[in-house]
Amino acid sequence: MTLPQEFQDIAKRVNNWGRWGRDDEIGTLNLITDEVVRTAAAAVRSGRRVPLGLPLQQDGVQTGMIPGRVNPLHTMVAINLEIFGPGTVATNDDAVTMGLQAATHWDGLAHVSHGGRLYNGRPAGTVTAHGGAAFAGIEKIPSLVSRGVLLDVARARGEDRLEGTHAVGPEDLAAAEEMAGTRVRAGDIVLVRTGQIQHYLAGDKQAYAYPSPGLSLYAPEWFHERDVAAVADDTLTFEIFPPEVENLWMPVHALDLVEMGMLQGQNWNLEGLSEVCAEEGRYDFLLTATPEPFTGGTGAPVAPVAVL
Amino acid sequence: MTLPQEFQDIAKRVNNWGRWGRDDEIGTLNLITDEVVRTAAAAVRSGRRVPLGLPLQQDGVQTGMIPGRVNPLHTMVAINLEIFGPGTVATNDDAVTMGLQAATHWDGLAHVSHGGRLYNGRPAGTVTAHGGAAFAGIEKIPSLVSRGVLLDVARARGEDRLEGTHAVGPEDLAAAEEMAGTRVRAGDIVLVRTGQIQHYLAGDKQAYAYPSPGLSLYAPEWFHERDVAAVADDTLTFEIFPPEVENLWMPVHALDLVEMGMLQGQNWNLEGLSEVCAEEGRYDFLLTATPEPFTGGTGAPVAPVAVL
Amino acid sequence: MTLPQEFQDIAKRVNNWGRWGRDDEIGTLNLITDEVVRTAAAAVRSGRRVPLGLPLQQDGVQTGMIPGRVNPLHTMVAINLEIFGPGTVATNDDAVTMGLQAATHWDGLAHVSHGGRLYNGRPAGTVTAHGGAAFAGIEKIPSLVSRGVLLDVARARGEDRLEGTHAVGPEDLAAAEEMAGTRVRAGDIVLVRTGQIQHYLAGDKQAYAYPSPGLSLYAPEWFHERDVAAVADDTLTFEIFPPEVENLWMPVHALDLVEMGMLQGQNWNLEGLSEVCAEEGRYDFLLTATPEPFTGGTGAPVAPVAVL
Amino acid sequence: MTLPQEFQDIAKRVNNWGRWGRDDEIGTLNLITDEVVRTAAAAVRSGRRVPLGLPLQQDGVQTGMIPGRVNPLHTMVAINLEIFGPGTVATNDDAVTMGLQAATHWDGLAHVSHGGRLYNGRPAGTVTAHGGAAFAGIEKIPSLVSRGVLLDVARARGEDRLEGTHAVGPEDLAAAEEMAGTRVRAGDIVLVRTGQIQHYLAGDKQAYAYPSPGLSLYAPEWFHERDVAAVADDTLTFEIFPPEVENLWMPVHALDLVEMGMLQGQNWNLEGLSEVCAEEGRYDFLLTATPEPFTGGTGAPVAPVAVL
C-alpha cells in the first residue's frame, strides 16, 4: 500500500529535506534565530506566566488505547531517610516510569516515518531499541524558546469546544489568526486550541481520546507557508481522529515530522491561556518549551510556559 | 542527636515560615512577581540561548552512591510500527525509568526535612509512598521563569575548576557578583559555577561525585539577604561534600529547602554559559527553568535555558 | 477506630507470633518440613504439569482500582543488536516495570499491618521506601515447594463460578476437601478455586475485580486448624470484596499475614488445574511456587506449577 | 562477515529445526515428557530444598557492561496505607523496574539470532519493540520442571573456582558426570558449576563479569548428544568470555538458542547446591525452574529450586 496521491502532492510542496543541510536534525527549529528570540522577549508586557503542562501522574490522559504509552508511575525510593544517622537531615527521593509521549509532550522528528524514511531522508532503521533515535533524537534540540501565538480556533468560532469531527483547516487557522490580531511569522510556535482537553479536565479520558477534533490534512501547508517553527495543540492525537480521508491514517504526523521536519506538541492545556489572552486582548507571548533532552528520544515531556 | 547551635542560629535568621501564609507551598518563588519577569525579559539582548541541562541517558551522573537514584533507562515500546497496516505511517514510541533527582533537576521543597518538619512547619510525614509529597510537591510550582544571574565563582577566582575542598561562601558570591557587574535582586535565580561538572563531561563520574566543592553553610544567609528565588549549581551534591563542619551533613539543604523554602538545582551544566557570559561581558539573562510537574514529586528534571 | 471484637477474638485464636521464635520471618512456611516435601514428591503420579500463572503483560488484571499496582510494561533495550560487529551473533534484550503484586503473586508477610504491627509483632515502621520490608521481606523465603491441594469450591457446589457475593467459609472448604478425597495436612498449600478468574480470561477485567467472591472472615481459622503453609486463590482481592462485615475491610489479609504469618496468593489461574484434577479424580499434587526473591519485597510474582 | 566454518559445521550437527514441527516454539523442552517428570520426582529422597536464585536487588550482578540490562530497582507505591480509613488494615505495595536478563534468569530462545534467523528458522525480525518476541517468547514455556543434574566441574577438577580462561568442554562435562555418578539423560536439566559466582558473592562484580570461565564452543554438541532439555551455569556470560576463538563472539549462545532451541540459564548460584550434593553424595534432584511468563519476553527471571 502507498499513501494516496493527494498526500504525495502536499508532501512534495511542504518538503524541507536538505533545506538546512543534509545532516540537519532539528528542521524548522532552525527558523528560530536570535532575532526571532529578541522579538519574542519584546512580546512580554505584563509579565504574567501561564503554564501549559498537565501534571504528570498515574491518573493521566492515557487510556491504554496507544499500547506501551503508560501514564507516569511515581514511586518513592526514600522517605524521611536519615542517611547519616538519627537526628540528621532526612531526605525524600522518588523515581518514575512513563511513556515519553504519555503526557504534555513534543513528538520528536524521529517519532514517525513513512515509506521507510524519516525527516531529511534518513532511513527509518536508524531508530533502534538500544539507543532510540540515532538521527534527530530529541536531545539534539538544544533549546526551544520563541514567540508563541495562540490560534484559539474554538473561541474564534464562538464555541467552547470543537466537535469531535471537526478538522482544523487553513480557514480555521486564518480566522483565529485574524482574531489574534497578529500575523504568524517565521520562527513562531503556533498553539492551536480546540478545547478538546476539557474532556480530560472534567474526568472523561475516553471522550478526550476519541473521537477528537484536530489538525486537518490541509493544515501543514498553511504552517509551511508561514514558516512556523513548531505547532502544539490540546488533543491526544494532534490531528483529527479518526482521519478525514478514509484509511489515510496520521497524514499530518507524516507531513509535519517527516516532510517538514516540524515538531508537534500534544496534550497541551490551553484553557488558562485562552482566558488570559482573551482578557488581555492579545494572543502572542514569549513561549518557553524546551523538551527534556532524552538521548535517542523520539519524543519528550515538556513543561511549557507562556510569558505574557 | 540534634543539629548544632550554629546551624540553629542561622536557621532562625533565614527562616521564611509563614512569610507567604501558612498554606504556602512554593516559598521564595513567591518573589518572582510579574514585575520581576518583565525586567527579566528586558534582560534579553542578543537572543542567544544557552541550554543548561545534561542529556538524560543511562550514562548519566549517578554512580550508585545515592541509593535508588537511577540514571535514565530509555527503552522502546514501538519501532517503525505500522499500526494501521502495511505501508501506513509508522511510529516510534519510547518509555523511561529514572530517578527524579538523577540528572539536571530541581530539589522540591519536600526533598528534605529536619527535626520532623518540612518547609512552613509541615510534618515530614506528609510525604508518603502512595502520593509522594502531599505538601509542597513539585507540581505546585506553576512555572519558573525569572532573571538569572551567573555567579561564576571559578572564573572570578581565576580557576578552571574549584578544588574539591572549596566551600563557596559569602565572599566568593560577592566577588563573583562584582565580576558579574549586576547586583543580585529579589526574585533572581542565581547560578553558581564551580566547574566541578567538567569531571563528568570528561568521563570521570567518580571524581564528579565526591569530593565536591559546593555551597557553604554560610551561603544561605547571603541568598536570604538578597531574597533570591532559587539557586542552582554544577555539582551532584549542591553543597560542599563532605561537609565543612564534621558530622553536620546537608546543612545547606536544610537551610534552603526547609527554613527558607528555596528551591535548589543540581547537575546544571554551566560550562557553556560561562563562556558566553564572559564573551558578552554580562552575567544576567532570562532564565526559563520550569520543573516537570510530577504530582507529589520531591524533585523533578528540568531543561533550563538561559536566554541572553 | 479499632477492629471489631469478633475480629479480635479470631485473631487471638489463630495467632502464631513467637511460635517459631521471635525472629522468625517466614511463618507457616516453617511447616514445610523435609518430610512434607518427600510426601509431596510422592504425590506425583502421571508427571503432568499444569501452569497456574497468568502471562505477565500490559493487558493484565489490573484496572487502576489499586493505585500504583501497574500491569507489566514490557520494553525492549536491544533488538537484533550485533554488539560485536556486522554479521556477528545478534542479541535481543528487554526490561520491565511492574507492580510486584500486579499479576499472579504471593503477598509477602509484610504486605499488611494492623494496629501498627506486622507478623510476629514487629513494628509496621520496619517497612520503608529505601529498602522495602526490612523484616519478613519476600526474599527471606528460600523456596516454596510442598504438597498442593486444590479445594475446588465452585465445582463442589456444582457451579461454574461462584457469585460475587459468595464468601468462601469453613463449610465450603470442608465440602471441597471431601470432594478432593484427601485431608488437608500440616505444611500443605491450599488452592481455593472460585472460578472468578473466568471473567478476566473472557476479557472482562472490571467484572473480575469487583465484586468478587473470596475467602470469608471465618476461613483463616479453618486453615489454622489444619496448619496449612499457604493459601492461594483465583481472585484479585483474595477475600470476598466488598467484605461480609460492613466496614471491616481486609480482615482475612490481617488474619493470614499478620496473625498467622501465612502467605496468600492471588490471581492464580486454577481453571486448567480444575479440569485436570476432575479428569484424574484426585486433587493433590506437588506444587512448586517459589516467589521471585526481591529484596525487601512485600510481595512477588510467582510462576506456580502443579505436578500431578 | 560470516561465522567461521568450524562453527557452521557444529551448527549443522546440533541443529534441531523442524524436529518438533515447524511451528514449535520451545525446542528441547519438548524432551521433558511426563515420564521424565515422574522419574524426576522419584529422585527426591531427603526432601531438602536448595534455592539457586540470587536476591533481586539494586546491588545485583550487572555492572553496566551490558547496556540497558539494569539491576532491579525496587520502589514503594504504598507504605502502611490505611486505604479504608484510620485504624483499618494498612497495606504496603511495591513496584520494580529491571532487565529481564539482569539477575538469575533463563535466556529465551528468541534472545539471540544469527544470519537473520532465530530458532526453527524464523526471521529475526519477528522480535519487535511493540510486543517483544512474537515467536518463541518466554511465555510460550508453560512450565519447567524436570530432573536436574549438577555437573560440578570445579569440584571434579579439585578447584574452588575455575580460572577466568577456562573453557568448559566435553572432557570437563564427562569428568563431572562421572563424579556425579549418574548419566545425563534426555530431558534432564544440566547445571554446570564453575564457582565464578563466588566473585559476586564476595562483593567483586567486576571480577565476576569479566574475564569469566564458561561453556566452550565444543560443549553444545555434548549436550546435544545427551538430548539435554536446558543448561544453566553460575556465570554472567554463560560461555567463556572473552571467547576461545578470536572474534567468534557468543558461539555457544548461537548454537544453544538458535540451532538447538535449548534454553540457557545464567547467574545461578550453585554454591549451596555444590555443598549439599557433595554431602549427600549424589548430584541429581528434582529441579523446578519455570521462568516468569512475560509475554514476548526474550528472557525472564526465575527462582529455581533443587529438591533433593
Side-chain angles (χ1 to χ4, degrees), chain C:
Chain C
M1 187 194 140
T2 53
L3 299 171
Q5 193 56 44
E6 184 173 26
F7 171 87
Q8 303 290 358
D9 292 344
I10 301 174
K12 211 167 289 174
R13 291 196 296 270
V14 302
N15 186 281
N16 281 324
W17 296 5
R19 181 173 170 189
W20 298 283
R22 294 183 53 188
D23 292 333
D24 175 63
E25 304 185 52
I26 62 168
T28 52
L29 295 183
N30 284 289
L31 295 162
I32 307 179
T33 61
D34 287 357
E35 194 189 340
V36 164
V37 175
R38 287 197 300 271
T39 315
V44 175
R45 282 178 247 170
S46 66
R48 282 171 87 169
R49 290 130 286 153
V50 183
L52 310 177
L54 295 172
L56 293 159
Q57 57 194 18
Q58 184 64 18
D59 191 21
V61 298
Q62 300 301 321
T63 59
M65 184 175 87
I66 308 171
R69 199 177 282 188
V70 293
N71 285 315
L73 174 70
H74 178 263
T75 66
M76 296 304 295
V77 294
I79 297 179
N80 294 316
L81 174 63
E82 296 173 333
I83 308 176
F84 300 104
T88 59
V89 175
T91 62
N92 298 298
D93 233 322
D94 21 26
V96 72
T97 295
M98 64 181 291
L100 290 185
Q101 290 98 342
T104 303
H105 72 277
W106 285 114
D107 283 345
L109 297 188
H111 176 51
V112 310
S113 63
H114 76 93
R117 296 286 149 183
L118 298 169
Y119 167 66
N120 231 351
R122 291 300 166 103
T126 52
V127 180
T128 66
H130 58 279
F135 181 77
I138 203 88
E139 85 282 7
K140 300 289 169 57
I141 298 168
S143 66
L144 215 173
V145 177
S146 190
R147 189 174 82 128
V149 177
L150 175 66
L151 296 185
D152 194 338
V153 175
R155 188 178 294 270
R157 291 176 57 90
E159 299 175 20
D160 259 8
R161 179 166 48 73
L162 301 180
E163 290 298 311
T165 54
H166 190 105
V168 175
E171 304 72 24
D172 288 320
L173 298 171
E177 187 189 36
E178 196 179 321
M179 186 183 77
T182 181
R183 189 175 164 84
V184 171
R185 296 187 299 251
D188 280 349
I189 301 167
V190 170
L191 310 183
V192 178
R193 179 172 169 269
T194 69
Q196 175 73 359
I197 209 165
Q198 293 167 9
H199 285 303
Y200 170 69
L201 297 174
D204 190 345
K205 297 182 191 191
Q206 299 293 345
Y208 175 54
Y210 176 93
S212 177
L215 291 165
S216 160
L217 170 60
Y218 309 103
E221 204 159 357
W222 194 89
F223 296 126
H224 184 62
E225 281 160 15
R226 304 300 174 92
D227 255 347
V228 159
V231 176
D233 74 16
D234 55 353
T235 73
L236 186 78
T237 53
F238 190 69
E239 54 190 284
I240 181 166
F241 196 82
E244 303 154 273
V245 178
E246 211 184 331
N247 286 324
L248 179 52
W249 300 95
M250 300 198 292
V252 181
H253 277 69
L255 293 170
D256 286 357
L257 299 169
V258 181
E259 300 295 332
M260 296 170 64
M262 184 182 77
L263 253 63
Q264 296 181 164
Q266 280 128 289
N267 303 317
W268 291 40
N269 182 356
L270 305 176
E271 294 304 293
L273 183 62
S274 173
E275 291 303 312
V276 171
C277 285
E279 205 179 298
E280 299 213 355
R282 67 199 183 91
Y283 288 81
D284 67 330
F285 37 80
L286 175 73
L287 180 72
T288 81
T290 302
E292 285 293 327
F294 285 96
T295 299
T298 70
V302 61
V305 178
V307 187
L308 288 96

Side-chain angles (χ1 to χ4, degrees), chain A residues 89, chain B residues 28-29 69 101 103-109 111-112 138 141 144 189-191 215-216 220 223 228-233 235-239 250-268 291 298-300 302:
Chain A
V89 175
Chain B
T28 52
L29 296 183
R69 199 176 282 189
Q101 290 98 343
T104 303
H105 71 277
W106 284 115
D107 284 346
L109 297 188
H111 176 51
V112 310
I138 202 90
I141 298 168
L144 215 173
I189 302 167
V190 171
L191 309 184
L215 291 164
S216 159
F223 296 126
V228 159
V231 176
D233 73 16
T235 72
L236 185 78
T237 53
F238 189 70
E239 54 190 286
M250 299 198 291
V252 180
H253 277 67
L255 293 170
D256 285 357
L257 300 169
V258 181
E259 300 295 332
M260 296 170 65
M262 183 183 77
L263 254 62
Q264 296 181 164
Q266 281 129 288
N267 303 315
W268 291 40
T298 69
V302 63

Side-chain angles (χ1 to χ4, degrees), chain A residues 82-123:
Chain A
E82 297 173 335
I83 307 176
F84 300 104
T88 59
V89 175
T91 63
N92 299 298
D93 233 323
D94 20 25
V96 73
T97 296
M98 66 180 291
L100 290 185
Q101 290 97 343
T104 303
H105 71 277
W106 285 114
D107 284 345
L109 297 189
H111 176 50
V112 310
S113 63
H114 75 93
R117 296 285 147 182
L118 298 170
Y119 167 66
N120 230 352
R122 290 301 164 102

